[in-house]
Structures are given as C-alpha cells and as structure tokens.
Amino acid sequence: SQHQFAEARELGEEAVQLDPFKAFNYGVLVDANVELGEYAKAVVMSDKMVGIRPDLQSYSRVSYLREIYGDIPGAIQAMEMAVKAGYPGSDETSWCHTQLGGLHERKGDLKAAEQHYASALAERPSYPYALAASGRVAGKMKDFTRALSHLEQAIALMPDAHFHMDLARVHRAQG
C-alpha cells in the first residue's frame, strides 16, 4: 500500500528463503512483480503460490494475471474458483464476487456482472464496492433510480472518487 514494490520484492525473496512453503511469501512476490511490470516472474511466483495453497488469495492472483495477459475467460474461471474457495460473507469473498462481476462487465455481459454484484450484496448488504458497481451497471442498463440509490449508498459509506465519477456519469446519462 506504500508503493515500495522493489523493497517488497526484496523482502518477499528473503521471506521465501526463510520459509519456502508459505504461500503468503509468494503472494508478496506476485504483487511486487506485477507492480514492477515483471509479469513473467509474477506468473512463476503465482504458480508456486497456488501449488502450495490453492485458495482465494492464490486464485484471485491467477485471475488478475490472466486478465493482464488478455485471457478473460481464464480470468473468469480463476476468479470463480476464488469465490468458491472463499468464506461466504467475508470481505475477501465479497471482493472476489465484485471483481468477477467486473470481469463480466468489461466483457459486456451486464446481466452476469449484476448477478455477481447482487451475490456480494446478498452476503454483505453494505459492501461499498459492490453497491457502486451495481449502481454503475444499473446506469448502463438505464435503471437510473437504482443506479442513483446504489451509488449514493456507496458514497455515504466510503466517498471514493471513482464512485463520484460513476454518479456523474449516471447524471449525465439522464441529461
């Protein structure tokens, strides 16, 4: 979160030397290498991570790497695995549902996107990222009442700039 990715990679490499059987250590290396643009190295670390502990954290990283490489069907498949591996109602699982919805949304399948956002909200009704995403999709579907409601709820919970931008897009679409 401090954007010190080179230092994070060094610490991750040191952690792997100390405990090569801890998946978290490889996750640090996946994230650092992605942020440093070293995608091939991130894939190698991701393979090691998922080999040690196939769970939500490793599958979601696989999904992101597949998305980076343009494999959207593969990214969706990996994120579905992450959702299934997660604990229902947890923040991490809600995040994965929302990311899975985002993959479908970017692919143009708004109905599938909305279903995943709704799943996240069914488990966590006040999850701001899913509220905002659901509002954004509702706006794209011209359901402006629901769009405004969800985006305003999300902003009340967390005044993220992206939520405000989506709200502005809905207002613009309304004229």
Side-chain angles (χ1 to χ4, degrees), residues 83 89 93-94 97-98 113-125 130:
V83 167
T93 304
S94 296
H97 267 300
T98 305
E114 179 54 29
Q115 289 172 344
H116 288 288
Y117 301 146
S119 293
L121 291 170
E123 294 177 2
R124 292 181 74 115

Side-chain angles (χ1 to χ4, degrees), residues 26-58:
Y26 293 99
V28 170
L29 292 174
V30 171
D31 297 346
N33 281 305
V34 163
E35 295 299 335
L36 293 168
E38 299 284 345
Y39 302 127
K41 290 179 183 177
V43 169
V44 171
M45 296 301 107
S46 177
D47 286 345
K48 289 183 180 185
M49 183 182 187
V50 80
I52 293 169
R53 188 175 176 109
D55 63 1
L56 179 145
Q57 288 82 13
S58 57

Side-chain angles (χ1 to χ4, degrees), residues 105 128-129 131-137 139-140 144 147-148 150-152 154-155 160-173:
E105 185 178 349
Y129 296 107
L131 279 166
S134 180
R136 183 179 59 244
V137 167
K140 290 177 181 179
F144 298 124
L148 293 172
H150 281 205
L151 285 162
E152 288 168 357
I155 290 167
D160 185 279
H162 293 97
F163 301 171
H164 286 280
M165 290 168 43
D166 288 333
L167 182 63
R169 286 184 190 101
V170 171
H171 284 299
R172 184 178 339 148

